[in-house]
Amino acid sequence: MNAAPDLRARAEALGQTLPPLLAEAEMLAATVMLGEHGRRRAGLGDEFWQYRPAHQGDSARMIDWRRSARSDAHFVREREWQAAQSVTLWVDPAKSMTFTGDKGRAPKGDRAKLLALALAVLLLRGGERVGLAGMASPRAGRTQMLRLAARLAGEEAGAEYGAPETEGMVSHGRAVFLSDFLGDLTAVEAGLARASDRGVKGVLIQILDPAEEEFPFDGRTIFESMGGTVRHETQRAGDLRDRYLARLAERKDRLATLARAVGWHFTTHHTGNPAQSALLWAYAALQGGR
């Protein structure tokens, strides 16, 4: 009996159950050429990195006696750091993230989920542990990738504006916050403070629609928040442009300042731009934060 047709049918059925988000994230991750996943830092691993002079507290078994025999000092053979790290992702589920200024453009929330999952793909393939704040503890492996994809794809919009979730973060690990950060910044400050107290380093990625960045409105306009809690009507929207852009710039400056204060990195990404640039930035920023 030939089992090939049955195996193929089951494989195709399984493939159809995978969230389209995962397929898109894996395609995005595949466009980023990262090379070797080496981490130039001393620690557990197999690759030789460097010799260093022995310090007080180093045990005798750490001494490289062959190298030390060629000198009057004792030396320790250090290897390249290969220990996996834990990365926790927080993707803002707020209603504000459902905004798009163009029906042909994906909402901010969709781009945030795509970037989060593509970043998870890269990190998991590199042996890292990745989780979702408050939803999935950091773990390694393909099964975790499927778990993250299902959680992100099934998440529904919640409050009007989001507040960073820090539950589940691993002490001295890393984190990524993806949001438009258009709500109360005291919530962001509090989230960063909680993360910092645990020794967590990470990145803030502000995701905005081009319309939110450019303010292309004029004449009679009704502005309404995605949750309907805020509404403003004006006959001369163009008169608001300069004040709006100034306040947006102030908000970005504030976010950058908050990030720097705890050793984090901050950037703004627009949904009208390719996702690859934001993915590369985030991955490089996380590697630099080791």
Side-chain angles (χ1 to χ4, degrees):
M1 179 178 177
N2 189 353
D6 180 60
L7 177 62
R8 179 178 178 180
R10 285 188 288 120
E12 290 178 347
L14 176 61
Q16 291 172 359
T17 66
L18 297 179
L21 174 63
L22 178 56
E24 189 177 0
E26 290 189 316
M27 288 180 62
L28 174 59
T31 67
V32 179
M33 303 302 293
L34 296 171
E36 294 295 326
H37 198 70
R39 308 172 183 93
R40 303 303 294 175
R41 179 176 168 183
L44 300 177
D46 298 323
E47 299 295 327
F48 170 72
W49 181 27
Q50 67 177 5
Y51 289 109
R52 66 164 174 81
H55 301 150
Q56 184 176 1
D58 290 336
S59 64
R61 64 184 178 80
M62 296 175 63
I63 305 297
D64 188 296
W65 296 107
R66 180 176 297 181
R67 171 65 181 85
S68 300
R70 303 198 302 267
S71 173
D72 294 332
H74 289 159
F75 288 87
V76 171
R77 180 186 179 93
E78 290 191 329
R79 293 170 293 179
E80 186 177 351
W81 186 72
Q82 295 290 340
Q85 291 289 293
S86 294
V87 183
T88 304
L89 309 171
W90 174 70
V91 181
D92 190 350
K95 289 184 174 66
S96 67
M97 295 294 287
T98 64
F99 175 76
T100 177
D102 187 326
K103 292 183 179 180
R105 191 162 52 234
K108 295 180 291 184
D110 286 7
R111 176 58 61 88
K113 292 176 181 179
L114 173 62
L115 284 174
L117 191 55
L119 186 57
V121 169
L122 295 175
L123 293 167
L124 288 168
R125 286 178 178 173
E128 311 282 31
R129 296 185 294 267
V130 184
L132 290 177
M135 298 178 66
S137 300
R139 296 179 183 175
R142 174 71 180 181
T143 299
Q144 179 70 346
M145 192 184 303
L146 297 174
R147 184 181 295 111
L148 298 178
R151 294 288 181 88
L152 287 171
E155 195 171 38
E156 298 182 356
E160 184 83 80
Y161 299 103
E165 173 65 70
T166 58
E167 182 180 349
M169 285 187 182
V170 177
S171 295
H172 304 289
R174 289 168 294 157
V176 181
F177 291 172
L178 299 104
S179 172
D180 55 16
F181 298 113
L182 294 180
D184 186 358
L185 289 186
T186 59
V188 179
E189 185 173 10
L192 288 174
R194 290 194 299 272
S196 180
D197 287 344
R198 301 181 194 177
V200 175
K201 301 292 185 182
V203 299
L204 300 179
I205 304 178
Q206 182 185 42
I207 299 177
L208 297 176
D209 187 273
E212 294 174 316
E213 186 73 53
E214 301 163 2
F215 199 84
F217 308 106
D218 204 358
R220 181 179 181 273
T221 306
I222 299 176
F223 297 99
E224 187 171 11
S225 64
M226 301 306 294
T229 60
V230 180
R231 189 176 188 276
H232 177 72
E233 180 176 352
T234 178
Q235 299 297 323
R236 301 166 64 180
D239 292 348
L240 303 176
R241 183 175 293 110
D242 289 345
R243 279 181 288 167
Y244 169 84
L245 294 178
R247 292 188 64 178
L248 181 61
E250 290 174 1
R251 178 168 288 262
K252 289 182 181 180
D253 288 343
R254 177 61 175 158
L255 286 165
T257 299
L258 290 174
R260 283 195 303 270
V262 292
W264 282 42
H265 303 275
F266 167 76
T267 192
T268 298
H269 172 67
H270 302 140
T271 56
N273 294 336
Q276 287 91 336
S277 59
L279 179 59
L280 274 169
W281 178 90
Y283 187 82
L286 286 176
Q287 296 304 297
R290 288 184 175 279

